[in-house]
Amino acid sequence: MSYEMLVGLHVLDDDMYQQYRDAMRPILSSYGGGFGYDFKVSEVLRPEENSDINRVFTIYFSDGAAKEAFFANPEYLKVREHYFEASVASTTIIASYEKSV
């Protein structure tokens, strides 16, 4: 079983967001993680929160503990602060679930 999240973002700066993805990917991989589906979306017909969404993707980890460790990793937090916070206006966790591989 792996742990997966379906995430919606409101990306303000595509280039900087891509730099974030490039910088965090090796850290994510070290936790057995990666990206699945990845979409740029132009219109959200029915949001459940008051956040705009223009990017939707799945991100997975080997398990829930790996997810928690990844998001607490000091190197990841530096990358997030440098790239993510300046390029993304909002994050919406649409769903989190265990997935059979």
Side-chain angles (χ1 to χ4, degrees), residues 1 5-7 11 15-16 24 29 33 35 38 43 48 54 58 64 71-72 78 86 88 99:
M1 293 281 233
M5 298 166 57
L6 178 61
V7 181
V11 176
D15 292 334
M16 184 173 279
M24 60 81 82
S29 293
F35 292 99
D38 193 1
E43 184 178 10
E48 290 191 13
N54 58 9
T58 58
F71 284 116
K78 288 180 195 173
V88 175
K99 182 177 177 181

Side-chain angles (χ1 to χ4, degrees), residues 79-90:
V79 169
R80 180 183 170 87
E81 181 180 5
H82 185 76
Y83 298 107
F84 186 87
E85 292 177 12
S87 64
V88 175
S90 63

Side-chain angles (χ1 to χ4, degrees), residues 2-100:
S2 65
Y3 187 86
E4 189 169 86
M5 298 166 57
L6 178 61
V7 181
L9 300 178
H10 182 203
V11 176
L12 299 173
D13 183 329
D14 283 328
D15 292 334
M16 184 173 279
Y17 180 71
Q18 187 58 52
Q19 291 176 49
Y20 160 75
R21 282 276 189 108
D22 294 342
M24 60 81 82
R25 194 175 317 266
I27 304 166
L28 178 61
S29 293
S30 74
Y31 287 92
F35 292 99
Y37 290 100
D38 193 1
F39 305 98
K40 288 185 178 181
V41 296
S42 60
E43 184 178 10
V44 177
L45 300 176
R46 187 177 169 269
E48 290 191 13
E49 297 181 12
N50 290 329
S51 300
D52 290 332
I53 294 174
N54 58 9
R55 185 85 176 242
V56 176
F57 61 89
T58 58
I59 183 171
Y60 62 86
F61 301 87
S62 56
D63 55 35
K67 177 200 77 123
E68 296 296 327
F70 167 75
F71 284 116
N73 178 290
E75 289 303 311
Y76 168 73
L77 292 173
K78 288 180 195 173
V79 169
R80 180 183 170 87
E81 181 180 5
H82 185 76
Y83 298 107
F84 186 87
E85 292 177 12
S87 64
V88 175
S90 63
T91 302
T92 303
I93 305 301
I94 299 169
S96 301
Y97 44 89
E98 288 188 356
K99 182 177 177 181
S100 58

